[in-house]
Amino acid sequence: MVTPEAAEEAVSCSIERLGNVPRPGRLVALKTKDEVRAALETFEAYIVGVSAKFAGAILNVIRESLPDLKTAEFQHLRRVVSFEYLPQHLQTRFGIIRYPESDIRDETDGFTALTRAEIRYLLVSPITAISQSGLIEVLAKKPPFLDASALPAVFTIPVPALAPTSAEQAAQWTRDFWPISYKNTNPYGPHPSLVARNTADIEEGAGTYLALAEAAGEQISELSLGEKVGCVIVDKTGGDEQIIAVTGDCRWQSRNGGPMKKEEPGNVMAHAVQRGIAMVAKKRLRVAGTNPESISSSKVFCDSPLTDHEKHFYSLDNIPPNGYLCSELDIYITHEPCVMCSMAILHSRFRRCVFSRRMPLTGGMTAGVGSVQGDGSTAVVRNVSGLGHGIFWRPSELNWKFLAWEWIDTDRLDTYLEVKDTLQA
Amino acid sequence: MDEEEKVYHERFMREAINMAELALASDETPVGCVFVKDGEIIGRAMNETNRTLNGTRHCEFIALSQILSTHPISILRETDLYVTVEPCVMCASALRQYGIRAVYFGCWNDRFGGTGGVLNIHSDPSVDKPYPVYGGIFREEAIMLLRKFYVQENEKAPKPTQKKTRELKTDILPLDIHSPKS
Ligand SMILES: [Zn+2]
Ligand SMILES: [Zn+2]
């Protein structure tokens, strides 16, 4: 959480003069497409309860009987669990079962009720590995079930199919499914330490840039030339942060420069992100000594600055001439960018992306059934599904990836930055 | 597709190939396109990402900017696109937002194709109307142009490249361009 005061200190004097008040809030890293998939996929597994002293022997007989069982595929699931570590619902379901014990015979019925401390619950295998009757047959070959007068108790439960991607998720799954082990790695997205480092790096300035993006969208909207969507492009590679471009949406500007009749979809190529990327390119040309206006470009791209904010930041020669596209740059956007703009950000090799309001019907960044939890006090709790593209991190399919966050504004209600829900930002 | 239709579509894809050849001669990624309304070409362009230093200046965007500088946006609803390489995810979304009528393309793009190569932006759930796509028209020629470009780029590279990579391969199965994923 960043207080407005702390964020204000991070503001460069040029923004202060523009009357920019940082937004209070915090960053939540987006889940990747694969993380979302991993969070949803489960399989059914057999659980067998047995006295602790037989746990090893039972696992051995299972290994011998199921030689093709790939235990590496469910390494994230604890194999042997005592009663006290079971999730609440399984404690209730398993209860205290009476188990046949070949060596401790009850006088009356040949069973002994194992105390909770003695029982171990074994995760045997996915149910696809063996039938339940087959499993019982295997178990009955060895003590304690050998010669026992009752069959072993076999349960079937759902368990997460893939490894957890964070400690929080592991803890959640341990409560919801079965005890999970977590090895501080993330095969389905950016490594947690990478996310943490980058979150810390940009958290202080994010509220400032988002407030500026909001103002950029408002300025153009006041001219009736666009929707209230804005973006800010920042270079934070050096010690001092540089704002490279500030743009608003310009979809309602007609060919002659004035507002056009607002008939959907308007000029799609004049979305705020497209204009921001175009201004970065023009600035690079200019800094390298080429007049960007000499490179023929259509007015339809709306890539010249229109408002005070846009003009101010476009005029600064604060970008290295030798950079490649938008690599090393960060982009802050008031709304989750549409699929076109999300891919434009990827094509432009951006380093990091932050947006404020989710666009479940049109956004290209979020990876799917998203649930952002509030911190219990002031944060907005949103629970929405999306298109599921997760364009920022699909490294096995797309040829670039970057880190992306959603900004949870602590100050406003859900109406903050509200737009028509079908808007393509 | 009957013979008459095939001839019709190939005529426009030939024009798109010509634009891709122009791109190759201009050190741009050899992808070209034409937009066609009522049998007339209303826009034609090649990729311009290198010249503009802008990674979004794909041929579709350049041609769209030409068209929209003289026509109303609504004309795109009666317009078809012919492009030598499958539209990327970005262009596929732009075309859908603009309401393009249909897209015809040469080869698939499995690095960032948006109409079947990687994603299905033309037909996935969306607030915008889906559009049909037809791939494979002059596919080999579209791929050959891309290959020539990679050879050309390798030759320009300052570091000496292995001779093998500089040879122009004539079989039509480069690693990064193939048929749509099932
Ligand atoms: Zn957009
Ligand atoms: Zn494209």
Side-chain angles (χ1 to χ4, degrees), chain A residues 212-261:
Chain A
L212 187 56
E214 188 185 351
E218 270 167 8
Q219 282 193 354
I220 291 214
S221 161
E222 277 161 20
L223 302 171
S224 296
L225 298 178
E227 295 289 332
K228 279 188 191 169
V229 176
C231 91
V232 170
I233 296 173
V234 177
D235 180 351
K236 198 179 184 297
T237 50
D240 60 330
E241 300 180 25
Q242 292 292 334
I243 297 176
I244 309 298
V246 172
T247 54
D249 178 89
C250 204
R251 73 187 67 189
W252 304 123
Q253 186 179 40
S254 70
R255 289 194 291 273
N256 54 35
M260 66 163 95
K261 199 172 154 213

Side-chain angles (χ1 to χ4, degrees), chain A residues 347, chain B residues 47 55-56 58-61 86-92 112:
Chain A
H347 276 318
Chain B
N47 260 30
T56 71
H58 291 182
C59 61
E60 296 94 326
F61 269 46
E86 174 194 359
C88 73
V89 170
M90 173 185 76
C91 292
F112 32 75

Side-chain angles (χ1 to χ4, degrees), chain A residues 26-63:
Chain A
R26 66 193 172 90
L27 295 166
V28 175
L30 292 192
K31 292 270 169 263
T32 68
K33 182 93 179 153
D34 285 344
E35 284 170 352
V36 169
R37 190 176 60 93
L40 296 175
E41 230 166 84
T42 59
F43 66 83
E44 298 288 317
Y46 293 123
I47 307 294
V48 171
V50 65
S51 128
K53 62 174 185 260
F54 291 110
I58 292 290
L59 287 178
N60 280 339
V61 73
I62 287 163
R63 185 161 49 239

